[in-house]
Amino acid sequence: LEQDLVRAADAPRRFRFRHPIVRRAVYELAGPGWTLAAHGRAAAALEARGAAPATFAHHVEHSAQVGDEAAITVLTRAGEEVAPRAPSSAARWFGAALRLIPERSDNVQRRLGLLAQRAAALGSAGDVEDNRDTLRAFLRLSPRDASPLRVKAAVLAAMLDELLGRNDEARKLLLDELAAVPDQDSPESAELKRVLAFTYFLD
């Protein structure tokens, strides 16, 4: 306060940095161990005051450890809370929650659910590259059962490959998915063939 680095805010016992550059300098000069703990304290304080998950998700992202169920819940709720108005932030929170879930067989469905939510948020945000990578991650993790959800993910991933000029990758993906469909006359097979045919349009 004496050096005018921070100033009293409107509320009692609240302070703010004089300028965002000062705040950034202090943050970057603080040690990584201290900042990790500080994010944890900030998250706990905001949660204790009844703040919405999106308000302190940033602090949770920077302080939580793998397997922290409370943190996974906060980040997932934050993503769901902001998805309609800030899909890029939602995708970030879903991605952070995914990183905290241990990669075990009993967590496959949870991870698939978050991958689907992240892909939807990235689609709304118009992030083609990350959306494509997320859908590919979903396909690697999900069982090859030709379910409608898997087929939809494969179709979207192939269409994004097309947008990115990766025709060969799109075709390979669709052909691999088609080979796993037991009934080649099913609606799922027809959808994959429709998108596969479209990849040859420019040829």
Side-chain angles (χ1 to χ4, degrees):
L1 282 167
E2 289 177 359
Q3 298 298 322
D4 195 31
L5 293 176
V6 294
R7 295 173 178 174
D10 295 335
R13 297 176 62 83
R14 298 283 184 89
F15 300 90
R16 60 179 175 78
F17 283 102
R18 182 185 73 212
H19 191 279
I21 292 176
V22 176
R23 181 187 67 215
R24 189 69 197 174
V26 170
Y27 186 85
E28 289 182 356
L29 289 170
W34 185 89
T35 53
L36 188 149
H39 278 298
R41 292 191 298 272
L46 288 166
E47 187 172 20
R49 292 177 182 171
T55 306
F56 59 94
H58 166 76
H59 298 296
V60 172
E61 178 188 19
H62 288 284
S63 61
Q65 297 180 1
V66 172
D68 185 335
E69 289 296 332
I72 294 167
T73 299
V74 166
L75 291 165
T76 303
R77 287 180 180 168
E80 292 168 348
E81 180 184 319
V82 305
R85 64 181 186 279
S88 292
S89 295
R92 176 181 170 183
W93 304 143
F94 292 139
L98 271 165
R99 290 190 294 274
L100 296 179
I101 298 176
E103 295 187 16
R104 300 192 310 256
S105 58
D106 57 328
N107 284 327
V108 168
Q109 290 305 314
R110 294 175 71 193
R111 293 180 64 80
L112 285 171
L114 279 168
L115 282 166
Q117 288 179 289
R118 177 170 160 75
L122 288 167
S124 296
D127 192 332
V128 176
E129 190 77 51
D130 278 352
N131 194 5
R132 180 255 187 198
D133 291 345
T134 300
L135 288 167
R136 290 276 183 165
F138 179 94
L139 292 169
R140 285 193 297 273
L141 191 61
S142 69
R144 294 178 65 86
D145 54 4
S147 67
L149 183 58
R150 183 178 174 90
V151 169
K152 183 177 180 181
V155 164
L156 287 173
M159 290 171 69
L160 293 174
D161 277 333
E162 280 283 297
L163 285 173
L164 293 166
R166 299 168 180 167
N167 291 22
D168 291 343
E169 292 181 47
R171 290 170 194 163
K172 183 180 184 310
L173 170 62
L174 293 166
L175 287 168
D176 287 347
E177 292 298 316
L178 263 173
V181 178
D183 181 3
Q184 290 294 306
D185 293 326
S186 66
E188 290 76 22
S189 177
E191 177 65 0
L192 290 168
K193 290 173 183 176
R194 180 187 70 80
V195 180
L196 179 62
F198 191 75
T199 67
Y200 290 96
F201 181 76
L202 292 177
D203 293 357

